[in-house]
Amino acid sequence: MKVLVPVKRVLDYNVKPRVKADGTGVDLANVKMSMNPFDEIAVEEAIRLKEKGVATEIVVVSIGEQKAQETLRTALAMGADRAILVTAEDRVEPLGVAKILKAIADEEQPQLVILGKQAIDDDNNQTGQMLAGLLGWGQGTFASKVEVSGDSVTVTREVDGGLETDKFKLPAIVTTDLRLNEPRYASLPNIMKAKSKPLATKTAADYGVDVAPRVKTLKVVEPGKRQAGVKVADVDELVMKLKAMGIAK
Ligand code: AMP
């Protein structure tokens, strides 16, 4: 079975975001970019399915600027077989991404699409759900365990009260949570090998998708600065201060 894994190039999770002076967004000039961490987990899960003999081919897709090619090469070095880069000048909103992924799914006919639960740059948590809606497929979001057997997939999800286990008919959509697995690092020989794996370059127009933005971001601001703390001599003083602030009785 074929597995499709969409991977997004985002600001590296170790980098502290800086807001542009004009407040229109986060400054991405000269900062380290990496694969969205939840997408690394998605690639890892697809590779594990291939290692178990369940998946036969892993196709990774990225929608973004030309440099998203690096993200795709990382996924290929981890163990994906083939990549599709859909170039876009500007940021594509989740609806546009989902429409492009739907067109690719129609063409590629994967049995499973594994996405990250959210991209850590925009924190949308929308694309997987929208794609499931557009395709009319079942979806297991926030997966902490994925098991494929026959023509169905069983997904364990972390919910407030504990763990929920759901079963879906294939083809289906899965979105990854943090505890699903620990992604592998690409080895140097595999990084070299990935350079010769196939990577097709397309545009949204090739799939007949209009990616014009539907949302206008009005303002982006940095979080408020934390106030300096106060040192207290002992617990009695702490309780006294909390009482004075009306926090303790
Ligand atoms: P979001 O809905 O933006 O939080 O993203 C959820 C997931 O959708 C990500 O973890 C990726 O798997 C996928 N995704 C979102 N945007 C893109 C993109 N531009 N290219 C490839 N995959 C994407």
Side-chain angles (χ1 to χ4, degrees):
M1 98 177 174
K2 195 189 280 188
V3 181
L4 189 69
V5 185
V7 294
K8 189 177 186 190
R9 182 174 185 265
V10 297
L11 185 70
D12 187 272
Y13 70 95
N14 281 310
V15 175
K16 186 175 180 299
R18 273 189 329 254
V19 171
K20 284 186 202 163
D22 62 4
T24 54
V26 171
D27 191 356
L28 298 179
N30 304 317
V31 289
K32 185 174 178 221
M33 305 288 284
S34 302
M35 189 189 305
N36 181 44
F38 293 107
D39 304 353
E40 283 184 347
I41 295 172
V43 175
E44 175 65 36
E45 197 61 22
I47 297 169
R48 290 186 189 190
L49 287 173
K50 196 174 171 196
E51 287 170 345
K52 280 188 208 154
V54 173
T56 47
E57 191 186 22
I58 303 166
V59 182
V60 284
V61 184
S62 196
I63 297 140
E65 54 179 336
Q66 195 66 35
K67 282 189 180 158
Q69 215 186 103
E70 294 164 13
T71 312
L72 290 169
R73 290 280 174 217
T74 305
L76 293 172
M78 284 171 74
D81 298 292
R82 187 154 65 79
I84 304 171
L85 169 68
V86 182
T87 55
E89 296 281 307
D90 297 313
R91 169 185 168 269
V92 180
E93 291 170 0
L95 181 61
V97 172
K99 284 181 180 170
I100 293 171
L101 293 176
K102 158 142 191 348
I104 294 176
D106 287 344
E107 206 172 275
E108 295 280 345
Q109 299 283 310
Q111 287 296 94
L112 199 59
V113 184
I114 313 180
L115 305 92
K117 74 167 178 182
Q118 75 186 51
I120 61 163
D121 51 0
D122 295 326
D123 279 348
N124 281 314
N125 174 230
Q126 294 176 9
T127 310
Q129 294 89 328
M130 285 179 173
L131 180 60
L134 291 173
L135 286 166
W137 294 1
Q139 54 174 318
T141 50
F142 310 104
S144 60
K145 191 168 174 203
V146 175
E147 273 173 327
V148 177
S149 125
D151 65 350
S152 56
V153 56
T154 304
V155 175
T156 303
R157 313 176 56 236
E158 287 182 22
V159 293
D160 276 354
L163 296 174
E164 176 184 304
T165 306
D166 299 327
K167 196 171 175 181
F168 306 90
K169 272 246 169 305
L170 295 174
I173 306 286
V174 167
T175 73
T176 63
D177 214 330
L178 213 53
R179 271 176 281 272
L180 179 59
N181 62 46
E182 225 174 275
R184 70 196 63 192
Y185 288 105
S187 66
L188 192 59
N190 285 345
I191 294 173
M192 300 311 289
K193 259 194 251 165
K195 291 189 179 166
S196 54
K197 287 188 178 176
L199 190 154
T201 304
K202 304 272 191 181
T203 64
D206 291 337
Y207 296 106
V209 175
D210 164 22
V211 289
R214 267 65 167 173
V215 179
K216 187 171 191 289
T217 300
L218 299 180
K219 194 166 71 166
V220 178
V221 292
E222 294 202 352
K225 292 245 180 311
R226 268 186 74 184
Q227 306 263 320
V230 179
K231 272 199 176 162
V232 290
D234 49 30
V235 174
D236 288 344
E237 191 189 345
L238 175 65
V239 172
M240 206 177 70
K241 282 205 189 299
L242 290 177
K243 277 185 183 166
M245 290 162 77
I247 295 171
K249 285 193 182 142

